[in-house]
Amino acid sequence: MEWTDKLATGIRTIDSQHKELFKRINNLVTAIRQQRCKSEIDDMIKFLDDYARVHFSEEEKHMRETAYAGLDQQHQDHMRYLAALTELKQQASLPRVRGRSYDLSTTTNQVVVDWIVGHIMNLDMKFGEYLKQQGKEY
């Protein structure tokens, strides 16, 4: 998964956080390829949990401050992601048998990749456009 300018919202803090997420996802993909996913998956899930709470809180705070009408839709999408992440954490808590770490790693990667790209392209970009129209910068 590669960060491109097409994914930039124009909001410095949010784009910076998205870039870090992409970097971590790529690290997980590398671990899967190198068959190190068992040692990497728990750290990745913890990062995703911490990241989501900080990132979503900051994003929604900016939206409230600017009276962004799309806040409810953003919040609902954030909650869907947190529900998927909760399911991944439950799967990660199960005993690991041969191949289970690989399956969990690829599932984690797929959930995150599908969600983040769709979320950025469909919702975060709209917020970036809204800020540009309002002449505001973050």
Side-chain angles (χ1 to χ4, degrees):
M1 199 167 130
E2 188 175 327
W3 176 265
T4 69
D5 287 339
K6 284 180 136 180
L7 296 169
T9 64
I11 307 164
R12 286 187 301 272
T13 56
I14 291 173
D15 287 340
S16 176
Q17 291 169 357
H18 287 164
K19 287 176 187 178
E20 179 62 23
L21 178 59
F22 275 61
K23 180 178 138 194
R24 297 292 185 109
I25 291 167
N26 287 329
N27 289 346
L28 179 60
V29 170
T30 299
I32 292 168
R33 287 185 185 140
Q34 296 174 351
Q35 299 181 356
R36 292 183 294 110
C37 48
K38 185 175 184 177
S39 64
E40 301 282 334
I41 189 63
D42 292 326
D43 288 342
M44 180 62 173
I45 290 174
K46 180 175 180 354
F47 165 78
L48 290 171
D49 192 39
D50 293 344
Y51 170 90
R53 295 181 193 291
V54 169
H55 179 72
F56 295 165
S57 174
E58 189 168 321
E59 213 173 53
E60 290 178 16
K61 177 182 164 230
H62 292 322
M63 291 176 184
R64 277 190 298 281
E65 289 172 348
T66 60
Y68 180 59
L71 173 60
D72 286 341
Q73 185 180 13
Q74 277 275 359
H75 180 73
Q76 289 172 9
D77 203 45
H78 290 163
M79 296 309 291
R80 277 191 290 278
Y81 175 80
L82 290 173
L85 188 57
T86 296
E87 188 176 319
L88 286 172
K89 290 190 305 189
Q90 289 171 345
Q91 289 177 26
S93 71
L94 298 173
R96 309 270 172 86
V97 293
R98 186 172 170 86
R100 177 103 175 86
S101 293
Y102 174 82
D103 292 344
L104 183 58
S105 297
T106 55
T107 299
T108 300
N109 188 51
Q110 198 60 47
V111 165
V112 173
V113 169
D114 287 350
W115 185 85
I116 193 70
V117 171
H119 182 80
I120 291 172
M121 296 301 290
N122 295 318
L123 296 176
D124 288 349
M125 295 298 269
K126 289 179 184 176
F127 181 51
E129 290 169 17
Y130 170 78
L131 290 177
K132 285 178 195 167
Q133 290 171 355
Q134 299 297 311
K136 297 179 182 177
E137 254 185 61
Y138 274 93

